[in-house]
């Protein structure tokens, strides 16, 4: 007869995990060579890196002509990237046709922007509210007058002369920032119980999403003036800004809608039962949770928009990529086998740096905002 | 039917403050009907709740119990008849709805705490932004109620860090912070482990002892016996029977009530 009664005499103490689950060897075993297939894939991966990385390093660094090099060095058969070219044309890549003597103006804008943006991004720095107000309201006004001039004795600088990274940053920053609240309002409108508001929002979102950005830019720059009264002109940059912002707003709206739908109905009901009005429910309860869910989507959209700004070349604006392309094609004194490649490599590196920063920062924010405990 | 148990809180109930007013009406539901699309979910509901009453609504699932109390703070809309809460009739008028919601607290089956806010923020949000109470004062009130539900030490944690029973006690405290005149409970213990049911019932009993007007949809028949002054039995969207708990349990009249009680009480 088996004994079915049992009483544990003493509780078992916790002890460290067995050796085979920790340490470098265990890590290798688990992550790289767990199965024969894994081992083969690891091997192929290693071979691919060996094949691809050294030539790239050679081209970009070892055989490259440094920023103080000459065009003759760039024209040598074995030379790598021609950084001297990028360096000598840097001002055009960053500012476009902006007057050389006035470059201090965009420089102040860059410096001011960085000085306001960086503390805003670091959670520990105080005065977030003031900081945000300065960055979102005061800074754009100052920047506009500084860049455009025509006041306080500043030389007027039409937007046709703006270009390069300056234009890329202006369009993407304005597009990303302004489309965010617009998108939220569109998303809320789409969920509204009021039929007219709902229809307007759905109509706008579906129309804009169904059309390529290029078409919207074309419409804004070529079609729009046809409908305007004779003699009135709207600045080309402004038209591009409006087009890009509205385009992005439609996408943000759909991303935010996804987040809103992830919020359980109980949250709305609890907020309502406490007597919170619709806007307070949204502001305090629903949006903070919904937006947290959609940070990856929002940042994805921001990154896509940042890169899409290069499409403004279609309406004749010289953003960073177009500025590089222009010089690649026209800077005859720098002609060599690798000049164009180096130019594009530079543009790619700049785009990558901004996009990667956005991506990393969003991951940091996600971790920080995650209270870690879903109900 | 989920979790029918006879949890009895073993202590004497202090009835000295449990007085039902003879003249003051808290809630008046008159000939009320509600439909979900074509489905007639509430039919001819007549219910007058006097100030200080402790009402338990029982009945099988789908009988309209929750829908009824959700109509009382307009989380659901009724289509016919009247609902008058503290003298304010509920209509589509948002002002009236807000007025009623300020005076009526609600506790949900799934707590519905705000997961992105700390316990203290959960408790102070509505007092600050709906009642306009200064933050310091709202926090003091919140701590007072957290002490009443016996978890002041959790004030700075997030809801997800608390057990179900603790979360439900926070949810009750959150409603109380608005100093409501009426409390609605929508199956407050149905989502809890048996061990935690008791701690929540304790809090509800102490509320009743202070004379709070409450309507509880619950399967806790022990609570109904101990605390309620009236038990209402619903089926198919209608009030089938109501009586004092003693009579209701020992001498049910309607066949449906008898069947229901025979199934849940062993």
């Amino acid at each position: 007869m088996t004994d079915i009664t049992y009483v544990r005499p003493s509780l078992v103490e916790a002890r460290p995990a067995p050796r085979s689950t920790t340490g470098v060897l265990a890590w290798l075993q688990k992550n790289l060579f767990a199965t024969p297939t894994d081992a083969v894939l690891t091997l192929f991966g290693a071979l691919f890196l060996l094949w691809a990385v050294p030539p790239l390093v050679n081209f970009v660094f070892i055989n490259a002509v440094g920023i103080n090099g000459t065009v003759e060095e760039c024209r040598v058969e074995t030379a790598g990237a021609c950084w001297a070219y990028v360096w000598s044309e840097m001002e055009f890549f960053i500012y476009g046709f902006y007057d050389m003597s006035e470059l201090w103006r965009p420089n102040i804008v860059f410096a001011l922007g960085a000085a306001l943006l960086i503390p805003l991004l670091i959670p520990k720095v105080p005065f977030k509210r003031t900081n945000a107000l300065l960055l979102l309201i005061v800074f754009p006004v100052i920047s506009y007058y500084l860049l455009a001039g025509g006041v306080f004795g500043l030389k007027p600088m039409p937007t046709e002369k703006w270009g390069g990274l300056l234009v890329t940053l202006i369009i993407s920053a304005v597009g990303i920032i302004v489309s965010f609240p617009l998108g939220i309002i569109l998303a809320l409108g789409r969920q509204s119980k009021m039929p007219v508001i709902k229809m307007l929002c759905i109509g706008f979102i579906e129309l804009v999403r169904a059309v390529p950005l290029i078409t919207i830019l074309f419409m804004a720059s070529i079609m729009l003036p046809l409908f305007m009264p004779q003699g009135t002109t709207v600045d080309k940059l402004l038209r591009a800004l409006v087009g890009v912002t509205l385009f992005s707003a439609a996408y943000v709206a759909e991303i935010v809608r996804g987040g809103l739908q992830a919020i359980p109905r109980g949250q709305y009901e609890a907020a309502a039962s406490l007597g919170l009005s619709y806007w307070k429910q949204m502001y305090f309860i629903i949006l903070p949770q919904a937006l947290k869910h959609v940070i990856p989507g929002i940042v994805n959209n921001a990154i896509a928009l940042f890169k899409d700004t290069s499409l403004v070349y279609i309406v004749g604006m010289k953003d960073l990529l177009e500025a590089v392309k222009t010089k690649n094609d026209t800077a005859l004194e720098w002609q060599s086998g690798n000049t164009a490649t180096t130019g594009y490599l530079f543009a790619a590196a700049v785009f990558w740096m901004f996009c990667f920063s956005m991506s990393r920062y969003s991951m940091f924010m996600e971790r920080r905002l995650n209270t870690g405990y879903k109900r | 039917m989920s979790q029918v148990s006879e949890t009895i809180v073993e202590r004497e109930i202090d009835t000295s403050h449990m007085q039902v007013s003879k003249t003051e009406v808290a809630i008046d539901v008159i000939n009320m009907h509600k439909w979900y699309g074509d489905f007639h979910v509430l039919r001819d509901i007549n219910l007058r709740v006097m100030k200080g009453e402790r009402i338990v609504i029982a009945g099988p699932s789908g009988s309209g119990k929750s829908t009824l109390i959700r109509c009382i703070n307009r989380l659901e809309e009724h289509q016919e008849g009247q609902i008058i809460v503290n003298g304010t009739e509920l209509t589509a008028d948002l002002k009236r709805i807000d007025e009623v919601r300020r005076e009526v607290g609600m506790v949900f089956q799934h707590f519905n705490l705000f997961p992105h806010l700390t316990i203290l923020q959960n408790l102070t949000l509505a007092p600050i932004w709906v009642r306009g109470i200064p933050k310091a004062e709202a926090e003091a009130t919140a701590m007072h109620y957290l002490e009443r539900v016996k978890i002041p030490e959790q004030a700075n944690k997030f809801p997800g860090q608390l057990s179900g029973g603790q979360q439900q006690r926070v949810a009750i405290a959150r409603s109380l912070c608005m100093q409501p005149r009426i409390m609605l409970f929508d199956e407050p213990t149905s989502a809890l482990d048996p061990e935690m049911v008791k701690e929540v019932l304790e809090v509800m009993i102490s509320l009743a002892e202070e004379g709070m007007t409450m309507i509880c949809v619950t399967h806790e028949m022990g609570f109904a016996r101990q605390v309620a002054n009236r038990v209402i039995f619903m089926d198919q969207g209608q009030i089938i029977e109501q009586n004092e708990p003693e009579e209701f349990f020992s001498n049910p009249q309607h066949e449906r009530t008898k069947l229901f009680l025979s199934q849940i009480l062993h």
Side-chain angles (χ1 to χ4, degrees), chain A residues 127-356:
Chain A
F127 309 118
K128 283 277 177 282
R129 192 179 292 256
T130 322
N131 194 335
L133 281 178
L134 284 175
L135 182 68
L136 297 179
I137 298 181
V138 181
F139 173 64
V141 176
I142 295 180
S143 303
Y144 173 75
Y145 285 113
L146 254 180
L147 290 175
V151 286
F152 307 120
L154 289 171
K155 187 179 170 193
M157 199 65 63
T159 53
E160 284 76 32
K161 287 191 168 185
W162 306 10
L165 184 62
L166 179 66
V167 158
T168 296
L169 287 179
I170 289 174
I171 296 177
S172 48
V174 171
I176 290 166
I177 291 169
V178 179
S179 69
F180 185 60
L182 271 182
I184 291 175
I185 288 172
L186 282 169
L188 292 177
R190 191 170 186 160
Q191 294 207 322
S192 169
K193 285 185 191 134
M194 289 174 262
V196 176
I197 291 180
K198 186 175 178 155
M199 295 248 293
L200 281 174
C201 290
I202 292 181
F204 176 84
I205 292 169
E206 295 302 339
L207 184 72
V208 171
R209 280 204 312 162
V211 173
L213 177 57
I214 294 183
T215 316
I216 292 180
L217 290 173
F218 257 132
M219 292 269 286
S221 72
I222 296 161
M223 303 273 289
L224 205 60
L226 298 180
F227 296 111
M228 308 270 278
Q230 288 252 304
T232 51
T233 54
V234 177
D235 186 86
K236 194 153 60 169
L237 176 66
L238 182 64
R239 278 180 280 169
L241 280 177
V242 172
V244 165
T245 303
L246 294 182
F247 180 78
S248 171
Y251 282 85
V252 171
E254 285 300 283
I255 295 168
V256 171
R257 187 167 69 96
L260 290 174
Q261 280 174 347
I263 306 300
R265 211 175 58 155
Q267 293 289 310
Y268 292 87
E269 291 178 349
S273 75
L274 287 168
L276 291 163
S277 66
Y278 173 80
W279 289 107
K280 284 177 185 166
Q281 287 175 33
M282 292 303 133
Y283 182 78
F284 291 113
I285 309 299
I286 306 302
L287 284 175
Q289 297 184 60
L291 295 180
K292 197 174 79 185
H293 285 307
V294 297
I295 291 175
I298 298 271
V299 174
N300 196 24
N301 183 63
I303 289 175
L305 184 70
F306 186 82
K307 294 181 295 179
D308 281 352
T309 54
S310 45
L311 288 176
V312 296
Y313 84 90
I314 286 247
V315 293
M317 305 197 57
K318 291 216 183 309
D319 75 306
L320 173 63
L321 187 61
E322 185 62 11
V324 169
K325 185 173 182 299
T326 307
K327 279 292 168 192
N328 285 348
D329 295 346
T330 58
L332 298 177
E333 70 279 19
W334 281 101
Q335 291 256 304
S336 78
N338 291 328
T339 300
T341 314
T342 311
Y344 287 130
L345 208 59
F346 167 74
V350 174
F351 275 108
W352 180 83
M353 197 186 72
F354 279 99
C355 294
F356 188 66

Side-chain angles (χ1 to χ4, degrees), chain A residues 266-267 269 272 280 284 289, chain B residues 70 101 112-114 116 129:
Chain A
Q267 293 289 310
E269 291 178 349
K280 284 177 185 166
F284 291 113
Q289 297 184 60
Chain B
R70 289 158 59 86
R101 284 178 179 165
N112 296 350
L113 295 179
F114 307 130
H116 61 302
W129 293 101

Side-chain angles (χ1 to χ4, degrees), chain B residues 172-189:
Chain B
I172 295 174
R174 178 175 70 179
S175 290
L176 293 177
C177 282
M178 285 294 281
Q179 323 231 294
R181 293 203 257 173
I182 299 166
M183 284 289 284
L184 307 173
F185 292 87
D186 188 2
E187 303 203 24
T189 56

